[in-house]
Structures are given as C-alpha cells and as structure tokens.
Amino acid sequence: MRIINYTCYGVSGDTEQEDKIPLEDKKKKRIKITGSIWGGAFFLTLVYYIVKITLPEGVEYRVWLQKTGAVWNFLVMPVAFLVFLVCLIQNSEKLSITLRGIFSGLAAGFFTLYFLIAAGTVAVFGLSLGSEWQFADGIIETCTEYMQSVPSFSTYYEDLGPFLKKEYKPLSDILLLTLKKKYGEKFALAGEWEEGRIYQVYPVSSPETIFCAEEMFGYFSDDYKIMRAKRLMEEKAAEICPGRVLYASDKENYSPATLAKEITVECNGVGDARKCAEDIAAMIAYVLEDDFFGKRDRSVKLAVKCVDEDGESGVAYFRFGNHEDGMTIYRYATDYYTDASLVYKELLYQFDALAGQKEEDSYEETEPSVNHEDSCYFVEGAYKALYGQLFEGEGYPYDCRYNAKGNFYAWLCDGEGELESTQGIFEYTETVVYDRESKNGKCHLFVYYRTYYRDGAEFTTDILDMYAVDMETGQVYISGRHAWEDVGSAEYCEATGEP
C-alpha cells in the first residue's frame, strides 16, 4: 500500500509540473499565430496599395478586385488586428484579470463602432463602383447605379485579364460598336466636335445618310432613324412634290452638330392643307416600305408647321413607324397616317385652332379659316350631314346647342308618351348628342336619345340609335344599336373600325 501511494503521489506531482510549462507555451503560440495572421493581412494590404500606386496611367483594378480589396482592407485586416490585440491583453502577465477585462472590453467596443462605420463605407463604395460586363471582344463596360443626384454613367475599358483593365480610347470605337448593336448594321465615322463628345456618322451601306451621335455619361444617343426617314421622305418628295422642303428643325435652327428630334415640313394655308395631307401620307407610306421602321423603337415624329395667311403658325404632330407591338409612341397603328384624310383632319384642326387663338387675342369676332358647318371634319359639319340625311325630311328643326361643359348636342323635339315598364304618361325630349371620334379616326359618332321626365325630374333615358358620320365623305352609317353593349350593323362596324 505504501509503495502504491508513493508512486501515485510521484505521478501527480510530475503531471502538474508538466501542465504548467505547456500553458505558457500555448499563450506564446496564440500570440504568435494571431500576430502572424494580422501581419500577413497587413502585408497583403500593403502589396495591394503599392501595386495600385505603381500601375501605369489609365490601368486600374477590375471591379471585383476593388470590392474585394475594400472588404479586406477595411474589415478583414482590422478584425485580425483586434484578435491579435485581445490575445496580447488576455495573455499579459503584467495586467491583472480586472484590467485585462476592461482593456479587452474597450477594444471590442471601439472596434464594434469602427466596424459599423466601415461596413457602411464599404457598402457605399461597392455601389459607387457599379458593375462590369463584357461589352465586346476585349472590351469591358462598367456601369454605375444612379445615387441621389449623381446620374448613372458607363465607362469602357480594355480587358487586361482577370485582375486589370485599361481605359479604352478612342471612344468613337465604342460608339460604332454601340450603333452596330442597336441597328444591326455597320457604321463609319465622318467627323467629330466638342472634343469627341458629338460625332458625325454614316451607315456604310448608305453613306449619304449622315447623322449625329452624342455621348453623355458614357451613354450614346443619336438621330439615325430621323435622318434615315428624312432621306426617304425627300426621295418621295422629289417625285410627287418637288417644291415641298423637309428639314431637321434643330439642325437648321441651332447647329449641324445638334441631334434632330423631328422632321419638319410647312403647310402654307388652308388651301394647301388637302395637297399637303396627300403628300405627307404618301411620304410616310414610302418610308414604311423600309423594314427598318417595322422594328422596335423606330417611331419617328413629323412636325407640320401650319402657316396661315397672316403668317401666324401652329404645329401639328404626326408619329409613324413602330415604337412597340406595331404601334407608334402615341399608340396609333404604325401606318395610321398613311391615310391622307386622317392627316388632313389634323391640319384642318390646327388651322382652326390658329383662327380661334387670333380671335381670342384680338377680342373681336373674326372670320374663321374654316366654317365648321361646311366640313364634316368638325362636329357641327358632321351633324349637319346627319341632320340632312335623317331628320330634315321628318320635319325636325335644326337646333344645335352646347351644354355647360361645352359639349355639342342638337335638340329635336319635345313630346309625351308611355313607357312599357311603367304606367302613366311621361314628357320626353329627343336629342342627338355628340359622343366622340371613332377608334379609326375616320368618323364622328352621335347618339340619339329620348329622355323621359316625371314631375319635372329626369326619370329614364332610352337610346333610340347610334350613328357614324364619315369625316371625308359625309356618309351617315346607322348602327341599329339601342344599348352600349349592342353590336352595330356591318356597315357601321366597317366604317368606324369598332362594334
């Protein structure tokens, strides 16, 4: 028993002595490991910035590497230093346990605040760098996001591998590649202005179509579709109306280096309106024969300057070409204005608006450029045609009026009658009320009402019929509809383009 006890005590004493030595070694090992990690992180940070400073002019890190560098430098390296610092404090023999806890807590609190600020800074920095992708073979495009008052912009670089990129020059190469992607054909540079911000370009397949392109914040805008349409319209004009001049207004008024926003042509008085409408419809039809204008985002604006006999002018606008889904940007069919009657209607309205403006300015009643009752393009003229064909022969009076909102209606008669659903005799009034233009823009629509009254108050209203009046010919189409949900006659539907 004594031998056993002695042996046990001997083993226990040796173990305590052996455990004490490794504990000190472990402390030193922890300090050495955390210090090495922080030293390695600091070294990599130093290398990152030294390489960045020594890069040739125009060469810089790729976006992914800049974002990684920001995370490493502002988050990873400080974390490594914090771990190393806490390890030093906790393993210091000169500090009491209380002081170790205080200093460790202060260090952790300070770095927590730092991390919150650093994380926000890194996030904002990452957003400011934007994203990058392959623009073309060997070319990278970097695009930043819109932030507050700072607009989005694109920058182009030469691809130098997975880590580096170099600012791409000349920017005109990027422009030509952008145009090729946008329009599917090859372009060439004819000239440039304002230190390479505005360019003159032409398609290789059609050198006579010279247009402008402008760079702003790395994005390019151009007036190719407008200048292409203008060239085609000029070709047609030379054939059917040589005296009618088309021009790109912004280029004529400001500078050839200005991007055109529309094509402009003049209509010289009401007497020229009919011929001008026919010319415009023919020119638009000729342009739309080009498949180019059937593709998406190819809608073009034509401005017709309507000049009256006094030299006063107003502008009627026409859109043609496909914007999206076979419609112009105004949601008309792409070929809507290939119909001369629709063009003429808009010109006529513009001249009428000019006359109305002159009357308003002069405070005197002046002779209108177009008598509304003489033209079915106006509501009054359309009703006059309707009245003459349907109501005049029945002995109804010609009594045109406007309600408080300025909407047109015509009173036909007052009378008394019965209702099928209700007993008694009711007073009624029959009116023809203007509804709207038809969806195809070719007819004015009217509704024939009979409104019943009881004790002086409106009781109910019946629809006796609906009519369409062709603006061009004055032809009246009877729908046979007695409710809004009814389908009109075949002639009515064909004339209006709707049920």
Side-chain angles (χ1 to χ4, degrees):
M1 288 298 291
R2 289 178 182 173
I3 295 173
I4 293 171
N5 287 338
Y6 177 81
T7 302
C8 289
Y9 289 137
V11 171
S12 177
D14 291 343
T15 303
E16 288 178 5
Q17 188 68 24
E18 289 173 2
D19 286 345
K20 189 175 181 180
I21 295 171
L23 185 60
E24 294 178 357
D25 290 343
K26 285 179 181 179
K27 291 180 179 179
K28 292 179 181 178
K29 191 173 182 180
R30 288 194 200 103
I31 295 172
K32 185 176 181 180
I33 291 173
T34 55
S36 298
I37 292 173
W38 175 74
F42 181 78
F43 175 74
L44 289 176
T45 299
L46 199 62
V47 170
Y48 177 88
Y49 283 109
I50 289 173
V51 173
K52 185 176 183 179
I53 292 170
T54 57
L55 286 174
E57 185 179 356
V59 177
E60 59 184 81
Y61 288 137
R62 295 282 293 267
V63 167
W64 76 265
L65 187 55
Q66 292 185 60
K67 290 181 178 180
T68 303
V71 172
W72 182 271
N73 300 331
F74 291 99
L75 295 176
V76 174
M77 188 185 72
V79 167
F81 179 69
L82 174 61
V83 172
F84 174 56
L85 182 61
V86 171
C87 189
L88 281 175
I89 294 171
Q90 290 295 323
N91 292 289
S92 173
E93 297 290 343
K94 297 180 180 180
L95 297 175
S96 65
I97 294 176
T98 303
L99 287 176
R100 291 176 197 171
I102 292 172
F103 287 139
S104 296
L106 287 173
F110 172 79
F111 275 95
T112 299
L113 179 62
Y114 166 81
F115 291 143
L116 291 174
I117 297 172
T121 303
V122 169
V124 172
F125 177 71
L127 288 174
S128 71
L129 291 174
S131 305
E132 66 181 16
W133 51 81
Q134 205 74 19
F135 174 75
D137 189 25
I139 301 175
I140 299 168
E141 179 181 1
T142 301
C143 181
T144 64
E145 298 294 333
Y146 177 88
M147 295 175 60
Q148 294 182 346
S149 60
V150 180
S152 170
F153 65 90
S154 283
T155 315
Y156 301 88
Y157 298 90
E158 181 182 347
D159 188 352
L160 300 180
F163 303 106
L164 300 174
K165 59 185 181 181
K166 182 179 180 181
E167 186 178 359
Y168 192 94
K169 292 182 179 179
L171 202 57
S172 57
D173 290 353
I174 303 298
L175 165 65
L176 297 178
L177 286 169
T178 301
L179 291 172
K180 186 177 181 181
K181 282 185 172 184
K182 185 177 181 180
Y183 295 115
E185 56 183 304
K186 192 174 180 181
F187 295 86
L189 197 66
E192 59 182 78
W193 296 281
E194 298 185 20
E195 298 180 354
R197 197 179 71 83
I198 298 179
Y199 303 87
Q200 242 187 351
V201 192
Y202 63 89
V204 173
S205 60
S206 179
E208 66 275 13
T209 309
I210 296 177
F211 64 97
C212 284
E214 181 180 18
E215 180 273 329
M216 184 172 288
F217 301 119
Y219 297 102
F220 297 95
S221 53
D222 64 87
D223 57 9
Y224 177 49
K225 62 183 180 183
I226 294 173
M227 299 308 292
R228 180 164 176 158
K230 178 176 175 287
R231 178 181 62 80
L232 292 171
M233 293 179 81
E234 286 173 335
E235 287 180 6
K236 190 64 176 177
E239 175 188 334
I240 63 173
C241 51
R244 209 172 289 283
V245 179
L246 295 101
Y247 56 95
S249 55
D250 291 336
K251 293 181 184 293
E252 294 288 335
N253 296 334
Y254 301 107
S255 162
T258 305
L259 266 63
K261 294 181 175 61
E262 61 199 25
I263 304 168
T264 304
V265 65
E266 286 191 4
C267 178
N268 299 307
V270 178
D272 181 43
R274 178 74 68 177
K275 178 65 168 63
C276 184
E278 292 172 356
D279 294 342
I280 289 170
M283 287 188 285
I284 291 176
Y286 183 70
V287 171
L288 294 181
E289 290 177 8
D290 185 351
D291 292 338
F292 174 89
F293 293 96
K295 297 177 182 177
R296 192 177 184 275
D297 195 25
R298 302 293 166 85
S299 183
V300 176
K301 182 164 70 172
L302 173 68
V304 181
K305 187 177 180 182
C306 300
V307 184
D308 66 13
E309 64 277 4
D310 296 327
E312 299 292 331
S313 64
V315 181
Y317 292 102
F318 302 88
R319 281 278 188 174
F320 59 93
N322 183 34
H323 174 66
E324 190 176 32
D325 300 327
M327 308 289 281
T328 68
I329 201 168
Y330 293 160
R331 304 308 297 169
Y332 290 118
T334 56
D335 60 351
Y336 184 79
Y337 287 115
T338 58
D339 187 326
S341 66
L342 298 176
V343 179
Y344 177 65
K345 176 185 70 174
E346 299 298 331
L347 298 181
L348 209 57
Y349 288 170
Q350 187 58 50
F351 280 112
D352 187 63
L354 275 174
Q357 185 62 48
K358 284 198 293 185
E359 181 178 342
E360 184 178 317
D361 292 342
S362 65
Y363 300 101
E364 295 179 6
E365 189 170 333
T366 59
E367 185 72 20
S369 58
V370 180
N371 188 329
H372 288 197
E373 291 192 349
D374 291 342
S375 173
C376 290
Y377 284 98
F378 295 95
V379 175
E380 295 84 355
Y383 175 71
K384 187 177 181 180
L386 175 63
Y387 173 79
Q389 294 180 48
L390 295 183
F391 299 112
E392 186 176 20
E394 299 294 323
Y396 288 105
Y398 182 73
D399 188 350
C400 299
R401 305 179 184 184
Y402 297 88
N403 63 18
K405 295 182 179 180
N407 300 323
F408 176 91
Y409 74 99
W411 176 84
L412 292 177
C413 69
D414 291 329
E416 292 183 345
E418 296 180 350
L419 283 170
E420 293 182 3
S421 58
T422 307
Q423 292 183 349
I425 303 297
F426 294 84
E427 295 180 346
Y428 65 80
T429 296
E430 291 185 4
T431 56
V432 176
V433 179
Y434 177 67
D435 182 23
R436 57 182 172 83
E437 284 188 9
S438 60
K439 287 185 178 179
N440 62 9
K442 295 184 177 183
C443 296
H444 283 303
L445 306 183
F446 296 87
V447 183
Y448 183 13
Y449 289 110
R450 177 180 286 171
T451 303
Y452 292 91
Y453 298 88
R454 171 181 278 177
D455 299 328
E458 184 176 322
F459 183 74
T460 188
T461 299
D462 288 343
I463 296 176
L464 302 184
D465 215 325
M466 298 183 189
Y467 310 109
V469 180
D470 189 288
M471 297 181 193
E472 179 73 10
T473 65
Q475 176 67 43
V476 175
Y477 298 93
I478 302 172
S479 71
R481 298 170 65 187
H482 302 288
W484 293 109
E485 61 271 17
D486 290 350
V487 176
S489 63
E491 295 81 4
Y492 177 90
C493 294
E494 184 179 353
T496 60
E498 56 185 90

